[in-house]
Amino acid sequence: MRRPEPPVPIGNPLQILLLACSFALAGYAGVRLLDGAWFEIALWFVGAAIVHDLVLVPVYGAADQTLLRTFEATGRRTWIPYVRVPAALSLLLLLVWFPLITARVTHRYTGATGRPPADFAARWLLLTAALFGASAVVFAIGRWRSGGARRE
């Protein structure tokens, strides 16, 4: 005969209060966000979810498998994180800044901030170069510390 499992505790009062406050803040932000052009914003969220799940995730997977096979074929599997991390961060920044990098929303940016948009494409490229450069430095330091021996 099985003993009934004890009930799952809800949490202490501070956790419940913080959770309620976070829901209230998210609700307030949602109401403010959807105050003006709610249809366009809702369409953007749905479109972004569909494009991400149906287009970008398979592209990410295929690129990662190609990277994995390439490095395994050359016997340098331990090098993969030094390419994956800066590439993922660079692509994330590209996704976030895409409208400004492509200069599609310069009029909105100027209207919202009162300033002309900076050259986001050049800044993104510089940041990408810095990410890969930092990864190369970390890789070189790791190789130097291990005496240049390959760790597989």
Side-chain angles (χ1 to χ4, degrees):
M1 187 169 197
R2 282 182 56 183
R3 251 185 343 165
E5 295 184 23
V8 176
I10 294 175
N12 67 34
L14 180 61
Q15 288 176 331
I16 295 170
L17 178 66
L18 287 174
L19 187 61
C21 288
S22 68
F23 279 131
L25 182 63
Y28 173 73
V31 168
R32 295 284 301 197
L33 177 68
L34 298 174
D35 189 28
W38 68 270
F39 182 74
E40 288 85 4
I41 293 170
L43 184 65
W44 184 83
F45 271 110
V46 170
I50 290 171
V51 167
H52 179 265
D53 292 348
L54 296 180
V55 177
L56 295 179
V57 168
V59 170
Y60 302 153
D64 190 54
Q65 286 300 311
T66 302
L67 179 72
L68 184 64
R69 287 187 187 119
T70 302
F71 278 103
E72 282 183 344
T74 60
R76 291 172 167 59
R77 184 175 169 87
T78 58
W79 293 17
I80 292 173
Y82 299 101
V83 176
R84 271 185 184 164
V85 172
L89 291 174
S90 176
L91 289 173
L92 177 65
L93 292 173
L94 175 65
L95 187 64
V96 170
W97 289 344
F98 186 75
L100 291 168
I101 289 171
T102 59
R104 292 182 179 209
V105 292
T106 55
H107 61 284
R108 282 188 173 181
Y109 183 85
T110 303
T113 62
R115 303 176 69 187
D119 188 12
F120 280 90
R123 290 181 180 187
W124 173 75
L125 287 172
L126 285 172
L127 193 53
T128 298
L131 287 169
F132 277 98
S135 182
V137 167
V138 170
F139 174 74
I141 290 172
R143 295 279 291 187
W144 177 70
R145 281 188 167 175
S146 67
R150 274 204 272 166
R151 291 179 291 168
E152 298 296 330

